[in-house]
Amino acid sequence: MSRSERLFALLQALRRRRRPVSGKVLAGELGISLRTLYRDIGSLQAQGAQIEGEPGLGYVLKPGFLLPPMMFSEEEIEALVLGSRWVARRTDEPLAWAARNALAKIAAVLPDDLRHGLDTSALLVGPAAEQERGDLSQIRRAIRAEHKLDIVYRDGGGAASQRLIWPFGLGFFEQSRVVLGWCELRQDFRHFRTDRIQAMSATGLRYPRRRQALLKAWREKEGIPPQEV
């Protein structure tokens, strides 16, 4: 166990207890010596953790403390790197930059040993086809604001039609990007491939239902269970 993982484990052990716990019990639980435990408690206190107590009396952590350096397991680090690399490769440029910036912010507050894992992750994402990299920022803004979009859409047969849609989701698939929306023309949920949207303009008009309610209704209709995250 690395030092950062050990500090996090100690913090969690203290959080689980409302009453003082002896150093001997904590050291045994973590599989470390008492000397190491006392040093680790001192390190947490130096970072702002309100750990009260002393050797022979036990220790208790006052609620409300968050360890400033974010703590992740090796698997969590790999998930963060893979996710950010996927976004950087497979979405539009503004979202790609956001992914890179977010990972840089995480790296800036990680302890050295965890930052090394961030920099050396061997999980890679292949390049996306050029047609997949269109700018989706206007669609994402409309989804966040719960605003209607006016689009000209070309169907699979090549026929074009004008639609006023309520966008509430954006699906990223291997070969296409799909807007999930309520179509006022069809009075039903529809899926719109972004590469078939010929023109698009923001209306500034808020649609009458909340985005989460639309997403829930769409999932129920499609028989799709809610995502865990």
Side-chain angles (χ1 to χ4, degrees):
M1 174 186 310
S2 68
R3 180 174 180 273
S4 55
E5 290 174 324
R6 195 175 69 239
L7 288 176
F8 184 67
L10 172 57
L11 196 61
Q12 292 298 90
L14 288 167
R15 279 181 175 148
R16 288 195 298 268
R17 295 174 169 89
R18 296 184 178 181
R19 297 181 179 180
V21 56
S22 72
K24 183 178 179 179
V25 170
L26 288 170
E29 182 175 321
L30 299 172
I32 59 178
S33 68
L34 273 174
R35 181 179 178 182
T36 299
L37 176 77
Y38 297 147
R39 187 170 62 244
D40 287 350
I41 286 175
S43 295
L44 289 174
Q45 289 171 329
Q47 295 181 61
Q50 291 184 298
I51 301 174
E52 297 183 344
E54 56 185 71
L57 297 178
Y59 298 91
V60 64
L61 173 68
K62 285 192 172 182
F65 174 70
L66 295 175
L67 193 61
M70 286 184 287
M71 311 302 293
F72 298 100
S73 68
E74 291 181 354
E75 286 76 16
E76 289 168 340
I77 289 289
E78 289 186 336
L80 285 169
V81 173
L82 183 62
S84 65
R85 286 176 177 173
W86 192 95
V87 171
R89 286 278 194 172
R90 300 300 179 89
T91 63
D92 57 273
E93 197 59 32
L95 205 57
W97 272 109
R100 297 185 190 104
N101 288 340
L103 200 60
K105 289 178 181 178
I106 291 171
V109 297
L110 283 176
D112 290 342
D113 54 342
L114 291 184
R115 189 182 304 117
H116 178 72
L118 201 70
D119 294 336
T120 60
S121 174
L123 303 184
L124 307 176
V125 176
E130 284 302 315
Q131 63 267 26
E132 297 178 0
R133 298 303 303 272
D135 189 355
L136 307 176
S137 55
Q138 186 175 20
I139 297 172
R140 291 188 283 105
R141 285 195 298 269
I143 291 172
R144 288 196 298 266
E146 299 181 343
H147 283 177
K148 299 179 182 182
L149 278 177
D150 192 356
I151 67 171
V152 176
Y153 189 72
R154 177 176 52 81
D155 63 22
S161 60
Q162 188 164 7
R163 311 287 186 98
L164 195 61
I165 66 171
W166 308 353
F168 59 84
L170 187 57
F172 291 83
F173 300 94
E174 199 62 32
Q175 298 298 327
S176 63
R177 306 292 178 258
V178 176
V179 180
L180 311 177
W182 175 267
C183 177
E184 291 192 358
L185 178 65
R186 304 303 184 195
Q187 285 296 295
D188 200 356
F189 293 112
R190 287 291 187 269
H191 305 151
F192 302 94
R193 283 181 44 164
T194 59
D195 60 340
R196 292 180 180 174
I197 296 177
Q198 304 298 291
M200 175 171 49
S201 60
T203 66
L205 301 174
R206 192 180 184 96
Y207 47 73
R209 295 181 65 184
R210 298 309 304 268
R211 174 167 52 89
Q212 289 300 320
L214 288 169
L215 184 58
K216 181 180 179 182
W218 172 80
R219 285 185 180 280
E220 290 174 352
K221 180 181 178 182
E222 299 292 328
I224 301 173
Q227 293 184 152
E228 293 184 1
V229 179

